[in-house]
Amino acid sequence: MYYLVLPTQQIKLEMAYLQSMPKSVTIKLREKHIGGACQLFFRSSPLKIVRGIAQFMFDETGDRYLDCINNVAHVGHCHPHVVEAGRNQMSLISTNNRYLHDELVILAERLVKTLPKPLSVCFLVNSGSEANDLALRLARIHTKNKDVITLDHAYHGHLTSMIDVSPYKFNLPGGPEKPDWVHVAPVPDVYRGKYTYPDDSQSVELLGQLYADEVGVMCRKSKKEKGGVCAFIAESLQSCGGQIIPPDGYLKKVYEYVREADGVCIADEVQVGFGRVGTHMWAFETQDVIPDIVTMGKPMGNGHPVAAVITTPEIAKSFCDTGVEYFNTYGGNPVSCAIANAVLDIIEEEKLMERAHRVGNHLLNRCEELKHKHSLIGDVRGKGLFVGVELVTDRKTRTPATAEAKHIVNRMREEKILISRDGPDSNVLKFKPPMVFSSQDADRLVDTLDRVLDELKGNTRTVTNLKLEVRVTPIDDVNAEAVLKTNMTQLLKSS
């Protein structure tokens, strides 16, 4: 855990020190040289973030924001152990994995130990997109089939091969045409999907069977017409599709259907892995299944580009038997591996899985309380620190409250809390904060959301500005720079 020791004035001086240019110049240069398609939060009034500590980020003026959406800074922004591991290894050597290095094999062994057998062979890459691309390549070589089954609203990365299997992208008005070898199954959304609860006369468990049967139909057709399936790829919990939690039994039955059609099962853990669900290290474990290939990324390096594909010896052998050697310039380099090992250290030593379970349950319970108070909330769902709040204008018709969700995200930003919205109708508030998120942070998030929802009902309350609480120590203009530079090294402290 971290705590701040700087007075407000000194923090503002430091943020100015961390800038190379005024915000207005930064905006002009971005508009001039950075592609317009590149996403920018709050585009009409973007944030300039210059510092991060644990679950907080600071803008150039020194304002502090509670980060409720950054699942990349998994163990907290700028965790001292991660920073030290990267700095120390970078001062020694950073090269490719065609040379032996202890950090690489230590990381591979540690990752394998978190997974069920027979998942035991690692390929280190740079990003989740690259991991999913390699997973699909492994599946095609092993099965010699091409048909891929994906879920509606799924997103698996920005590479061309991944856009092909990501309806979240190719269903956009300007998106590419879906390849004929890609088959889209209904997302197992029991609130708004094809089969819902309690509208249908089925239990939640039977809904899992109904959704799985949709995949089964595709598998049997592919087996009959094309000789079999290449792969079924799905996030263990769907993120961009709106924080979807599959009903119990869903993946178990899907995996049976896929394997009967000679396909392999790919679990995309890029957004939900590394203990985020609280009860397990990997989200697929909550469905009591064992995939053939697991992909991981984002939180693995706490912001440093490192990712992995882990598969079975059988699939790895099929890849090796092609005679085409696999080489990745940066994948598995010692610096990336040292950082990933540091992340695993922190998850274990700071008991972040247990924290995700405890704080996540508290957050879910608080959100459920809001649901009873505010009719705008149609559904609350989640596991651990992966929570979604779906907004509707009418609970009976479940009409998406898209405009209201957009307003709430912007109002929360004004309250110095960063959240996002997603789902096919952009009406689901997403909470997936760094794992150091506390119960107090959850309370602040929910209490503020409560006030904002009250405003939307017309029951406007006076919103108290949340100030940064710090110790005040004298500082004058003469020694400001010296004190500032000294405190640059003291900003992070662990307790």
Side-chain angles (χ1 to χ4, degrees):
M1 297 176 63
Y2 314 86
Y3 59 91
L4 297 174
V5 294
L6 298 179
T8 302
Q9 182 184 0
Q10 193 168 334
I11 285 176
K12 291 184 180 296
L13 281 170
E14 183 192 340
M15 299 313 152
Y17 181 79
L18 291 175
Q19 290 190 94
S20 300
M21 61 191 72
K23 181 178 178 179
S24 59
V25 177
T26 305
I27 292 173
K28 287 180 181 178
L29 285 175
R30 178 170 177 126
E31 291 174 346
K32 182 177 180 180
H33 296 298
I34 304 300
C38 295
Q39 188 177 26
L40 182 65
F41 285 145
F42 311 106
R43 188 172 287 273
S44 62
S45 179
L47 287 172
K48 184 175 184 179
I49 298 297
V50 298
R51 195 68 159 110
I53 303 173
Q55 64 270 52
F56 300 103
M57 298 197 298
F58 296 81
D59 68 13
E60 82 286 357
T61 70
D63 282 342
R64 185 182 74 166
Y65 294 81
L66 178 62
D67 185 356
C68 301
I69 56 176
N70 202 317
N71 62 330
V72 177
H74 194 62
V75 299
H77 292 281
C78 303
H79 193 291
H81 184 48
V82 172
V83 173
E84 182 182 24
R87 180 176 60 238
N88 289 348
Q89 184 56 53
M90 194 178 293
S91 70
L92 296 173
I93 185 68
S94 182
T95 185
N96 60 66
N97 65 14
R98 286 185 289 194
Y99 299 99
L100 291 175
H101 199 279
D102 292 345
E103 292 286 355
L104 171 64
V105 294
I106 290 170
L107 175 60
E109 183 181 45
R110 292 180 73 179
L111 290 173
V112 166
K113 284 182 176 179
T114 69
L115 292 160
K117 294 179 179 180
L119 294 163
S120 59
V121 183
C122 300
F123 295 87
L124 275 296
V125 295
N126 305 306
S127 69
S129 295
E130 194 176 37
N132 283 328
D133 176 80
L134 178 56
L136 189 57
R137 184 178 169 191
L138 290 171
R140 282 187 173 149
I141 289 170
H142 183 68
T143 65
K144 298 180 175 57
N145 296 323
K146 191 169 184 179
D147 280 11
V148 174
I149 300 173
T150 187
L151 296 180
D152 203 5
H153 315 310
Y155 174 65
H156 295 290
H158 60 79
L159 300 181
T160 300
S161 62
M162 291 299 101
I163 297 296
D164 283 345
V165 296
S166 297
Y168 182 77
K169 291 295 185 180
F170 68 61
N171 277 340
L172 292 173
E177 186 177 348
K178 180 185 76 65
D180 59 8
W181 48 266
V182 172
H183 308 280
V184 180
V187 60
D189 179 358
V190 299
Y191 180 74
R192 185 184 294 284
K194 183 174 182 178
Y195 308 108
T196 60
Y197 178 84
D199 286 357
D200 292 302
S201 58
Q202 307 287 346
S203 67
V204 173
E205 292 75 16
L206 287 178
L207 290 180
Q209 179 72 53
L210 288 172
Y211 277 113
D213 286 346
E214 295 276 343
V215 177
V217 171
M218 295 177 178
C219 288
R220 288 189 292 274
K221 183 178 180 181
S222 180
K223 177 76 171 176
K224 180 179 179 181
E225 297 178 358
K226 300 182 182 180
V229 170
C230 169
F232 168 80
I233 182 170
E235 290 183 275
S236 303
L237 307 176
Q238 196 182 71
S239 181
C240 291
Q243 307 294 83
I244 304 301
I245 313 298
D248 290 344
Y250 171 72
L251 280 184
K252 184 180 283 288
K253 196 62 184 176
V254 165
Y255 280 20
E256 289 178 14
Y257 288 140
V258 173
R259 286 165 177 158
E260 286 172 1
D262 302 323
V264 299
C265 302
I266 302 171
D268 180 341
E269 293 274 338
V270 172
Q271 299 215 52
V272 295
F274 289 93
R276 178 163 292 278
V277 296
T279 54
H280 300 81
M281 186 67 164
W282 308 105
F284 69 77
E285 294 177 288
T286 65
Q287 287 268 317
D288 191 28
V289 294
I290 300 177
D292 302 295
I293 303 173
V294 178
T295 61
M296 52 192 72
K298 289 189 188 295
M300 188 171 171
N302 210 55
H304 188 84
V306 57
V309 178
I310 303 183
T311 189
T312 66
E314 183 183 15
I315 293 175
K317 184 178 185 301
S318 295
F319 191 41
C320 186
D321 286 347
T322 64
V324 180
E325 292 183 338
Y326 181 76
F327 171 62
N328 188 310
T329 302
Y330 298 110
N333 75 80
V335 174
S336 294
C337 292
I339 287 173
N341 277 318
V343 169
L344 290 174
D345 290 342
I346 298 162
I347 292 173
E348 295 169 7
E349 293 167 7
E350 298 187 9
K351 295 181 171 50
L352 293 187
M353 276 181 57
E354 293 89 334
R355 186 186 189 93
H357 183 58
R358 182 181 71 256
V359 177
N361 281 343
H362 179 68
L363 176 58
L364 272 170
N365 290 335
R366 290 295 319 275
C367 288
E368 282 288 352
E369 291 172 4
L370 282 191
K371 180 181 174 182
H372 292 298
K373 179 180 178 183
H374 299 283
S375 61
L376 194 64
I377 297 177
D379 191 42
V380 172
R381 51 187 179 258
K383 285 185 182 293
L385 286 175
F386 182 85
V387 176
V389 175
E390 181 151 357
L391 305 182
V392 295
T393 57
D394 187 304
R395 284 185 176 177
K396 186 173 182 180
T397 61
R398 303 183 185 183
T399 306
T402 302
E404 290 82 356
K406 180 179 180 180
H407 171 81
I408 288 170
V409 169
N410 287 321
R411 274 292 292 117
M412 296 293 280
R413 176 250 175 101
E414 291 174 359
E415 296 296 323
K416 304 298 186 291
I417 298 176
L418 301 180
I419 64 174
S420 65
R421 63 194 178 110
D422 224 320
D425 298 294
S426 298
N427 67 315
V428 180
L429 304 181
K430 296 174 65 173
F431 309 141
K432 45 185 180 63
M435 297 275 278
V436 293
F437 206 69
S438 69
S439 295
Q440 291 76 19
D441 296 325
D443 285 336
R444 179 184 166 193
L445 166 63
V446 177
D447 290 343
T448 307
L449 178 58
D450 184 21
R451 293 197 300 272
V452 171
L453 288 167
D454 270 339
E455 293 172 8
L456 282 174
K457 290 193 299 187
N459 184 18
T460 306
R461 298 176 180 178
T462 302
V463 179
T464 304
N465 290 327
L466 301 169
K467 298 295 184 181
L468 179 63
E469 296 181 3
V470 294
R471 300 178 202 157
V472 177
T473 56
I475 181 170
D476 56 56
D477 293 335
V478 176
N479 67 0
E481 184 175 354
V483 173
L484 173 61
K485 289 182 177 179
T486 299
N487 277 282
M488 285 285 286
T489 61
Q490 298 176 345
L491 186 60
L492 292 176
K493 286 195 174 183
S494 55
S495 61

